[in-house]
């Protein structure tokens, strides 16, 4: 926030969307207070893929201003960036995730054109066998999958798919023992949503 000509200290209160803000120096139900707060103010410890609301009020030597109008923001999925890919284990249980709010990754074409919708990343270490990854069960939006080797920003395409099972995707690829494979879950066009992988 900015306030030209303002003096004194400020209190910032944030919480998940719908929380009840407090008054004075006291947090409301579900809120967290930063006192004193600066502009800009770093807020740490937030949960990925979550919507938050923020209020600011002034502390004038123990006399408190009213809460500002609410400001809202959403955090990115935890595995939005390739560097934060979530490791999977072969034969492990299905994982759920979301691409809502994720950024677009410029990875080009890998079995299908990728990079038009936000995506999230996973890794799996090859066991020298075939591995199948799929969004076919429990996913309701139009997905695409890309599988790569290499490192973030310097990928080699292994396999990709669009629409293997209706509007969802599935890909089977051969692995090399000990090689890390990067899996991008993204959407067709600009489609985003929750998925099961």
């Amino acid at each position: 926030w900015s306030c030209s000509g303002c003096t004194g200290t400020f209190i910032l209160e944030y919480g998940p969307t719908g929380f009840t803000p407090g008054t004075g120096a006291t947090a409301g139900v579900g809120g967290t207070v930063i006192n004193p707060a600066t502009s800009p103010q770093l807020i740490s410890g937030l949960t990925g893929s979550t919507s938050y609301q923020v209020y600011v009020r002034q502390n004038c030597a123990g006399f408190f201003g009213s809460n500002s109008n609410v400001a809202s923001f959403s955090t990115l999925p935890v595995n939005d960036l390739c560097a934060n890919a979530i490791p999977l284990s072969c034969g492990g249980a299905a994982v759920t995730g979301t691409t809502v709010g994720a950024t677009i990754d410029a990875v080009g074409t890998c079995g299908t054109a990728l990079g038009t919708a936000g995506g999230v990343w996973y890794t799996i270490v090859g066991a020298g066998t075939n591995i199948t990854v799929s969004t076919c069960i429990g996913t309701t939006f139009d997905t695409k999958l890309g599988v790569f080797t290499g490192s973030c920003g310097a990928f080699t395409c292994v396999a990709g798919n669009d629409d293997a099972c209706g509007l969802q995707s599935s890909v089977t690829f051969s692995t090399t023992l000990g090689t890390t494979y990067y899996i991008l879950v993204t959407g067709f066009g600009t489609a985003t949503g929750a998925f099961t992988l």
Side-chain angles (χ1 to χ4, degrees):
W1 78 93
S2 62
C3 181
S4 59
C6 291
T7 59
T9 58
F10 292 88
I11 295 171
L12 181 141
E13 184 175 4
Y14 68 94
T17 295
F19 87 101
T20 303
T23 57
T26 305
V29 177
T32 301
V33 166
I34 298 175
N35 183 14
T38 61
S39 176
Q41 177 66 55
L42 174 67
I43 302 174
S44 60
L46 300 176
T47 303
S49 300
T50 303
S51 295
Y52 289 92
Q53 292 179 321
V54 178
Y55 295 87
V56 177
R57 50 191 178 266
Q58 192 168 17
N59 179 355
C60 299
F63 296 96
F64 298 94
S66 58
N67 288 318
S68 66
N69 290 333
V70 65
S72 300
F73 68 93
S74 295
T75 54
L76 299 173
V78 173
N79 55 338
D80 178 58
L81 301 176
C82 169
N84 298 329
I86 296 173
L88 302 174
S89 59
C90 194
V95 296
T96 58
T98 183
T99 60
V100 174
T103 55
I104 296 172
D105 298 280
V107 293
T109 299
C110 182
T112 184
L114 301 169
T116 60
V120 293
W121 292 92
Y122 295 88
T123 59
I124 193 162
V125 177
T129 60
N130 287 346
I131 292 178
T132 299
V133 290
S134 169
T135 59
C136 293
I137 298 172
T139 303
T140 58
F141 77 101
D142 193 347
T143 63
K144 289 186 175 190
L145 290 171
V147 179
F148 307 89
T149 56
S151 59
C152 298
F155 283 128
T156 299
C157 172
V158 173
N161 180 258
D162 178 26
D163 296 346
C165 41
L167 296 177
Q168 286 73 48
S169 305
S170 180
V171 64
T172 300
F173 55 99
S174 298
T175 68
T176 300
L177 181 65
T179 297
T180 298
Y181 295 85
Y182 289 83
I183 302 162
L184 174 64
V185 180
T186 186
F188 175 82
T190 59
T192 60
F195 63 85
T196 300
L197 181 67

